[in-house]
Amino acid sequence: MVFRKWDSFLFSFVNVCTFQALFGAVFWVGNILEENCKGDQPRWPSVFAELNTDNLKLKRSGLLVVDKQMKEDLSRERLDISHFTLIEDRVTKEMILAYPRYYNAYKSNEWVTLRISVS
């Protein structure tokens, strides 16, 4: 999986998960859209970011797109990337992000697990 920094303006948030790591940082995972959503759709792209606890804004310098709709997803009908679980590996200090990629209105899925190094 290739992580890319998110560099466009942020408009709409859906499907959010937050987590405070033992070393004090607060992380946020959710779907950020460039335009207003239609109900609760789409549920991609999924973004990982650190939260500034002083102003409760996401730190733009570290925004990473961790998953999005790909060309091969189009043949599997509607894609939902949500229901995030975020935990900290106490030994490596990595954040472990797990979530299902649901297809066709939740009729099939595949699970994704990512290890994200933060510093």
Side-chain angles (χ1 to χ4, degrees), residues 80-119:
D80 291 303
I81 303 173
S82 58
H83 307 286
F84 307 105
T85 299
L86 188 61
I87 59 174
E88 178 184 15
D89 183 322
R90 293 182 181 190
V91 175
T92 67
K93 303 292 188 248
E94 292 174 314
M95 300 306 297
I96 300 169
L97 174 60
Y99 57 92
R101 296 180 100 240
Y102 286 107
Y103 297 96
N104 194 12
Y106 294 86
K107 293 182 180 149
S108 66
N109 69 52
E110 57 193 24
W111 280 86
V112 176
T113 302
L114 304 172
R115 296 181 76 87
I116 302 171
S117 295
V118 293
S119 55

Side-chain angles (χ1 to χ4, degrees), residues 59-73:
K59 294 184 178 181
R60 291 182 69 101
S61 62
L63 272 156
L64 298 174
V65 175
V66 294
D67 205 345
K68 64 180 185 175
Q69 186 175 49
M70 308 289 245
K71 186 177 180 181
E72 56 269 17
D73 294 322

Side-chain angles (χ1 to χ4, degrees), residues 9-39:
F9 188 76
L10 311 179
F11 287 94
S12 183
F13 302 100
V14 293
N15 304 306
V16 174
C17 170
T18 57
F19 180 88
Q20 182 168 8
L22 289 176
F23 58 89
V26 177
F27 296 98
W28 179 95
V29 179
N31 305 120
I32 296 181
L33 310 175
E34 294 185 28
E35 57 192 40
N36 286 333
C37 56
K38 295 171 182 75

